[in-house]
Amino acid sequence: MNGQEAHAMGAQPGKTGFRILAYMSVGLAAAGVVLPLLPTTPFVILAAFFASKSSPAFARWLEEHPTFGPAIEEWRARRAIPRKAKLLAFAMMGLSWSMLAWLGSPVLVLAVSGLFLLGVAGYMLSRPSY
């Protein structure tokens, strides 16, 4: 089957990858609902982005979902992050960096990871909370 035949049968070239990424992101977000160390909100936002590029029906399902929908709506409307997600992220970043230090990671690793984590924390602090 060539590209024209696939397109005629309903396949949309280039969108399959985005669809797979959307489903993977939603799977990670769903795991984050149950697992306390895995953040849910960033994966929901990522899933909404990928779904909007590949599957309008899946994007609509995400936007209307009772658990995931509010986070997507707040992000799109105000670029806001839930306060609980921010606090959990800050705690996990601090714990991760502390474990690197405790395990004796090289100074360069501590410096680079510390700067990266501070950058992420700064960005999160610059976003409104809800």
Side-chain angles (χ1 to χ4, degrees), residues 23-40 43-44 68:
Y23 289 134
M24 287 173 50
S25 297
V26 129
L28 290 169
V33 170
V34 181
L35 301 172
L37 299 179
L38 188 64
T40 301
F43 291 116
V44 168
F68 302 144

mmCIF file of all heavy atoms in Angstrom, residues 23-40 43-44 68:
data_model
loop_
_atom_site.group_PDB
_atom_site.id
_atom_site.type_symbol
_atom_site.label_atom_id
_atom_site.label_comp_id
_atom_site.label_asym_id
_atom_site.label_seq_id
_atom_site.Cartn_x
_atom_site.Cartn_y
_atom_site.Cartn_z
ATOM 1 N N TYR A 23 -1.036 8.670 23.837
ATOM 2 C CA TYR A 23 -1.465 7.524 24.640
ATOM 3 C C TYR A 23 -0.436 7.187 25.724
ATOM 4 O O TYR A 23 -0.801 6.856 26.852
ATOM 5 C CB TYR A 23 -1.734 6.302 23.766
ATOM 6 C CG TYR A 23 -2.979 6.438 22.914
ATOM 7 C CD1 TYR A 23 -2.958 6.092 21.574
ATOM 8 C CD2 TYR A 23 -4.169 6.903 23.447
ATOM 9 C CE1 TYR A 23 -4.096 6.210 20.782
ATOM 10 C CE2 TYR A 23 -5.309 7.026 22.670
ATOM 11 C CZ TYR A 23 -5.272 6.681 21.336
ATOM 12 O OH TYR A 23 -6.399 6.798 20.577
ATOM 13 N N MET A 24 0.842 7.268 25.378
ATOM 14 C CA MET A 24 1.881 7.006 26.385
ATOM 15 C C MET A 24 1.818 8.045 27.507
ATOM 16 O O MET A 24 1.942 7.704 28.690
ATOM 17 C CB MET A 24 3.265 7.014 25.730
ATOM 18 C CG MET A 24 3.530 5.792 24.869
ATOM 19 S SD MET A 24 5.065 5.856 23.934
ATOM 20 C CE MET A 24 6.260 6.290 25.156
ATOM 21 N N SER A 25 1.625 9.308 27.147
ATOM 22 C CA SER A 25 1.547 10.372 28.153
ATOM 23 C C SER A 25 0.346 10.190 29.064
ATOM 24 O O SER A 25 0.436 10.401 30.272
ATOM 25 C CB SER A 25 1.485 11.741 27.467
ATOM 26 O OG SER A 25 2.656 11.987 26.734
ATOM 27 N N VAL A 26 -0.788 9.796 28.491
ATOM 28 C CA VAL A 26 -1.976 9.558 29.318
ATOM 29 C C VAL A 26 -1.763 8.358 30.234
ATOM 30 O O VAL A 26 -2.209 8.359 31.388
ATOM 31 C CB VAL A 26 -3.229 9.408 28.428
ATOM 32 C CG1 VAL A 26 -4.041 8.187 28.709
ATOM 33 C CG2 VAL A 26 -4.108 10.600 28.582
ATOM 34 N N GLY A 27 -1.064 7.356 29.747
ATOM 35 C CA GLY A 27 -0.751 6.208 30.596
ATOM 36 C C GLY A 27 0.113 6.606 31.780
ATOM 37 O O GLY A 27 -0.139 6.176 32.912
ATOM 38 N N LEU A 28 1.114 7.438 31.530
ATOM 39 C CA LEU A 28 1.960 7.920 32.628
ATOM 40 C C LEU A 28 1.176 8.813 33.585
ATOM 41 O O LEU A 28 1.366 8.750 34.802
ATOM 42 C CB LEU A 28 3.173 8.660 32.072
ATOM 43 C CG LEU A 28 4.206 7.775 31.379
ATOM 44 C CD1 LEU A 28 5.228 8.625 30.627
ATOM 45 C CD2 LEU A 28 4.908 6.887 32.396
ATOM 46 N N ALA A 29 0.279 9.628 33.037
ATOM 47 C CA ALA A 29 -0.555 10.476 33.897
ATOM 48 C C ALA A 29 -1.465 9.628 34.773
ATOM 49 O O ALA A 29 -1.631 9.904 35.960
ATOM 50 C CB ALA A 29 -1.383 11.437 33.043
ATOM 51 N N ALA A 30 -2.054 8.574 34.190
ATOM 52 C CA ALA A 30 -2.924 7.686 34.964
ATOM 53 C C ALA A 30 -2.134 6.981 36.064
ATOM 54 O O ALA A 30 -2.620 6.829 37.195
ATOM 55 C CB ALA A 30 -3.583 6.665 34.042
ATOM 56 N N ALA A 31 -0.913 6.587 35.753
ATOM 57 C CA ALA A 31 -0.063 5.967 36.781
ATOM 58 C C ALA A 31 0.244 6.980 37.884
ATOM 59 O O ALA A 31 0.315 6.630 39.060
ATOM 60 C CB ALA A 31 1.222 5.448 36.152
ATOM 61 N N GLY A 32 0.392 8.258 37.493
ATOM 62 C CA GLY A 32 0.668 9.305 38.475
ATOM 63 C C GLY A 32 -0.484 9.552 39.432
ATOM 64 O O GLY A 32 -0.283 10.047 40.539
ATOM 65 N N VAL A 33 -1.694 9.208 39.021
ATOM 66 C CA VAL A 33 -2.845 9.336 39.921
ATOM 67 C C VAL A 33 -2.703 8.362 41.084
ATOM 68 O O VAL A 33 -3.058 8.670 42.221
ATOM 69 C CB VAL A 33 -4.165 9.089 39.151
ATOM 70 C CG1 VAL A 33 -5.340 8.969 40.106
ATOM 71 C CG2 VAL A 33 -4.405 10.197 38.139
ATOM 72 N N VAL A 34 -2.128 7.196 40.819
ATOM 73 C CA VAL A 34 -2.006 6.145 41.822
ATOM 74 C C VAL A 34 -0.661 6.190 42.547
ATOM 75 O O VAL A 34 -0.592 5.962 43.750
ATOM 76 C CB VAL A 34 -2.196 4.763 41.154
ATOM 77 C CG1 VAL A 34 -2.108 3.655 42.171
ATOM 78 C CG2 VAL A 34 -3.515 4.707 40.419
ATOM 79 N N LEU A 35 0.413 6.476 41.817
ATOM 80 C CA LEU A 35 1.747 6.480 42.401
ATOM 81 C C LEU A 35 2.110 7.873 42.904
ATOM 82 O O LEU A 35 2.125 8.825 42.128
ATOM 83 C CB LEU A 35 2.776 6.024 41.353
ATOM 84 C CG LEU A 35 2.549 4.633 40.764
ATOM 85 C CD1 LEU A 35 3.508 4.388 39.610
ATOM 86 C CD2 LEU A 35 2.713 3.581 41.834
ATOM 87 N N PRO A 36 2.431 8.010 44.180
ATOM 88 C CA PRO A 36 2.659 9.333 44.749
ATOM 89 C C PRO A 36 3.917 10.040 44.218
ATOM 90 O O PRO A 36 3.990 11.257 44.271
ATOM 91 C CB PRO A 36 2.786 9.067 46.249
ATOM 92 C CG PRO A 36 3.116 7.628 46.363
ATOM 93 C CD PRO A 36 2.536 6.944 45.168
ATOM 94 N N LEU A 37 4.879 9.329 43.694
ATOM 95 C CA LEU A 37 6.115 9.974 43.246
ATOM 96 C C LEU A 37 6.094 10.378 41.774
ATOM 97 O O LEU A 37 6.998 11.054 41.306
ATOM 98 C CB LEU A 37 7.317 9.060 43.507
ATOM 99 C CG LEU A 37 7.565 8.703 44.963
ATOM 100 C CD1 LEU A 37 8.770 7.776 45.090
ATOM 101 C CD2 LEU A 37 7.782 9.950 45.808
ATOM 102 N N LEU A 38 5.064 9.983 41.037
ATOM 103 C CA LEU A 38 4.988 10.285 39.610
ATOM 104 C C LEU A 38 3.994 11.424 39.404
ATOM 105 O O LEU A 38 2.833 11.308 39.758
ATOM 106 C CB LEU A 38 4.531 9.039 38.834
ATOM 107 C CG LEU A 38 4.572 9.114 37.323
ATOM 108 C CD1 LEU A 38 6.016 9.278 36.824
ATOM 109 C CD2 LEU A 38 3.980 7.856 36.728
ATOM 110 N N PRO A 39 4.452 12.548 38.819
ATOM 111 C CA PRO A 39 3.537 13.683 38.647
ATOM 112 C C PRO A 39 2.503 13.405 37.558
ATOM 113 O O PRO A 39 2.798 12.787 36.546
ATOM 114 C CB PRO A 39 4.470 14.819 38.235
ATOM 115 C CG PRO A 39 5.614 14.137 37.567
ATOM 116 C CD PRO A 39 5.775 12.820 38.285
ATOM 117 N N THR A 40 1.292 13.859 37.778
ATOM 118 C CA THR A 40 0.212 13.648 36.826
ATOM 119 C C THR A 40 0.078 14.815 35.850
ATOM 120 O O THR A 40 -0.021 14.618 34.647
ATOM 121 C CB THR A 40 -1.124 13.458 37.580
ATOM 122 O OG1 THR A 40 -0.990 12.335 38.439
ATOM 123 C CG2 THR A 40 -2.277 13.235 36.637
ATOM 124 N N PHE A 43 2.167 15.250 32.505
ATOM 125 C CA PHE A 43 1.845 14.230 31.512
ATOM 126 C C PHE A 43 0.467 14.464 30.895
ATOM 127 O O PHE A 43 0.253 14.173 29.721
ATOM 128 C CB PHE A 43 1.951 12.827 32.107
ATOM 129 C CG PHE A 43 3.366 12.447 32.430
ATOM 130 C CD1 PHE A 43 3.756 12.222 33.736
ATOM 131 C CD2 PHE A 43 4.313 12.322 31.432
ATOM 132 C CE1 PHE A 43 5.061 11.873 34.043
ATOM 133 C CE2 PHE A 43 5.626 11.974 31.723
ATOM 134 C CZ PHE A 43 6.001 11.756 33.026
ATOM 135 N N VAL A 44 -0.477 14.999 31.676
ATOM 136 C CA VAL A 44 -1.799 15.326 31.144
ATOM 137 C C VAL A 44 -1.673 16.446 30.100
ATOM 138 O O VAL A 44 -2.258 16.376 29.022
ATOM 139 C CB VAL A 44 -2.760 15.746 32.275
ATOM 140 C CG1 VAL A 44 -4.029 16.372 31.720
ATOM 141 C CG2 VAL A 44 -3.099 14.564 33.147
ATOM 142 N N PHE A 68 -8.656 14.772 34.409
ATOM 143 C CA PHE A 68 -7.622 15.429 33.607
ATOM 144 C C PHE A 68 -8.061 16.775 33.041
ATOM 145 O O PHE A 68 -7.245 17.665 32.825
ATOM 146 C CB PHE A 68 -7.201 14.519 32.448
ATOM 147 C CG PHE A 68 -6.683 13.187 32.866
ATOM 148 C CD1 PHE A 68 -6.953 12.060 32.114
ATOM 149 C CD2 PHE A 68 -5.915 13.035 34.011
ATOM 150 C CE1 PHE A 68 -6.465 10.809 32.494
ATOM 151 C CE2 PHE A 68 -5.433 11.794 34.404
ATOM 152 C CZ PHE A 68 -5.716 10.687 33.640
#
